[in-house]
């Protein structure tokens, strides 16, 4: 069990697997680094680093400090403390926006970006049709207050499209991801949901010059596929991989294809200056 101190009274827990070129995986809202368990085969070629965001997993849950800037500062601190001078960053869902927030500070140290099931703006607006209505975020917050455990379970199940998971895949996810996981701090979950609802990283996409792979499920009901297409279109040179029939977490429902794509992508980009 490893931790780094990222701020006063904030310790970030992370797990490491493998050796070589470092690849840092940033999980989504209300999850933890445990969600990347199926990516372990990549440790045969890379050094995998899987942190828990503050308020999630085994990391500290401060009373305040759940803005994107706070999550990004923790990520930068992780790179600093682990001495990562050149690495790749894989973000999923909330982790995509955390990666985008941290990008200006980490750009010189990044050889590659992989953005999975993400969006630059979670909430829909008149000029942004690729988000969820603001009423859905407010409704989710209300349901969390009324029944935290039940709502978290419903949200997790909603990440997958109907018929996406075989019985065997569902059982594997339950035994390796769901059952061992620690539910995040309820205050942190609520505060981070507010952050998600108000975030907007569209304006900075044109500044990204790092080789980028966007992976998105074609049936993603949490971050609509149009958001993934937008990321790929606005980031110079980005390539887009759509997973047919997949929902919000293709790295869980089809880990073999996901791992192959990520491994091939990292094999093509210059991993050293």
């Amino acid at each position: 069990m490893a931790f780094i101190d990222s701020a006063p009274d904030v310790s970030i827990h992370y797990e490491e697997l493998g050796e070589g070129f470092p690849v840092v995986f940033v999980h989504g809202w209300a999850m933890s680094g445990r969600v990347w368990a199926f990516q372990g085969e990549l440790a045969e070629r890379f050094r995998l680093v899987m942190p828990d965001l503050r308020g999630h997993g085994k990391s500290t849950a401060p009373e305040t400090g759940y803005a994107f800037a706070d999550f990004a500062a923790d990520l930068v601190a992780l790179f600093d403390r682990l001495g990562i001078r050149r690495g790749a960053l894989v973000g999923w869902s909330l982790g995509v926006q955390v990666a985008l927030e941290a990008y200006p500070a980490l750009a010189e140290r990044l050889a590659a970006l992989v953005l999975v099931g993400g969006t630059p703006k979670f909430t829909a607006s008149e000029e942004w049709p690729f988000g969820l209505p603001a009423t859905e975020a407010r409704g989710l917050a209300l349901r969390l207050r009324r029944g935290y455990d039940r709502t978290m379970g419903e949200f997790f199940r909603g990440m997958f499209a109907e018929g996406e998971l075989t019985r065997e895949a569902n059982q594997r996810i339950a035994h390796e991801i769901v059952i061992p996981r620690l539910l995040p701090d309820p205050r942190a979950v609520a505060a981070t949901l507010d952050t998600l609802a108000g975030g907007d990283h569209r304006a900075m996409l044109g500044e990204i010059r790092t080789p980028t792979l966007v992976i998105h499920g074609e049936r993603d009901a949490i971050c609509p596929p149009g958001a993934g297409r937008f990321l790929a279109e606005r980031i110079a040179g980005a390539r887009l991989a759509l997973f047919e029939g997949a929902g919000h977490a293709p790295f869980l429902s089809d880990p073999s294809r996901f791992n192959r794509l990520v491994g091939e992508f990292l094999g093509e980009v210059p991993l050293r200056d």
Side-chain angles (χ1 to χ4, degrees):
M1 190 178 301
F3 292 85
I4 62 110
D5 293 329
S6 64
D9 301 320
V10 177
S11 293
I12 299 300
H13 170 260
Y14 66 95
E15 300 284 351
E16 280 193 88
L17 288 173
E19 298 179 352
F21 180 80
V23 183
V24 179
F25 290 79
V26 187
H27 64 80
W29 176 79
M31 301 296 158
S32 73
R34 178 79 191 184
V35 82
W36 301 107
F38 297 172
Q39 278 56 68
E41 67 182 73
L42 290 169
E44 297 174 5
R45 298 172 55 192
F46 306 105
R47 173 191 178 193
L48 312 185
V49 181
M50 295 156 288
D52 296 338
L53 295 174
R54 58 170 61 199
H56 297 70
K58 298 176 183 177
S59 293
T60 304
E63 290 189 8
T64 60
Y66 294 97
F68 278 120
D70 299 308
F71 291 119
D74 292 339
L75 188 56
V76 173
L78 183 73
F79 270 69
D80 290 343
R81 302 288 161 63
L82 298 186
I84 299 176
R85 298 182 179 178
R86 188 75 170 164
L89 191 52
V90 180
W92 167 54
S93 196
L94 166 68
V96 166
Q97 286 187 270
V98 173
L100 294 176
E101 182 79 15
Y103 182 81
L106 293 177
E108 297 302 316
R109 289 187 266 179
L110 291 179
L113 277 173
V114 181
L115 308 179
V116 186
T119 178
K121 187 177 186 297
F122 184 72
T123 304
S125 58
E126 186 174 339
E127 83 293 348
W128 177 248
F130 307 125
L132 294 184
T135 53
E136 289 201 27
R138 291 195 294 269
L140 179 57
L142 179 60
R143 293 195 300 275
L144 284 167
R145 290 195 295 270
R146 290 176 173 173
Y148 182 73
D149 290 359
R150 182 181 68 254
T151 301
M152 292 297 293
E154 292 171 350
F155 179 80
F156 189 86
R157 290 189 292 274
M159 295 194 305
F160 302 100
E162 184 177 354
E164 179 180 0
L165 298 178
T166 64
R167 181 180 178 183
E168 291 75 15
N170 192 53
Q171 289 178 338
R172 186 185 179 202
I173 290 170
H175 287 292
E176 298 187 39
I177 306 293
V178 178
I179 294 173
R181 85 194 192 284
L182 293 173
L183 284 177
D185 182 87
R187 294 172 306 164
V189 163
T192 306
L193 185 58
D194 286 342
T195 293
L196 264 175
D200 188 349
H201 291 87
R202 290 176 294 174
M204 58 84 61
L205 298 179
E207 302 171 10
I208 296 176
R209 294 294 179 266
T210 301
T212 301
L213 171 64
V214 177
I215 298 176
H216 217 102
E218 284 190 323
R219 297 173 65 190
D220 191 334
I222 295 174
C223 293
R229 294 188 181 94
F230 186 91
L231 288 170
E233 291 169 358
R234 296 303 175 95
I235 297 174
R239 53 177 91 166
L240 174 65
L242 291 174
F243 278 46
E244 184 178 354
H248 190 52
F251 61 96
L252 290 178
S253 60
D254 195 352
S256 296
R257 181 186 176 194
F258 179 89
N259 295 342
R260 184 179 69 254
L261 281 176
V262 171
E264 290 174 351
F265 177 64
L266 294 179
E268 295 174 8
V269 300
L271 301 184
R272 293 177 176 83
D273 292 323

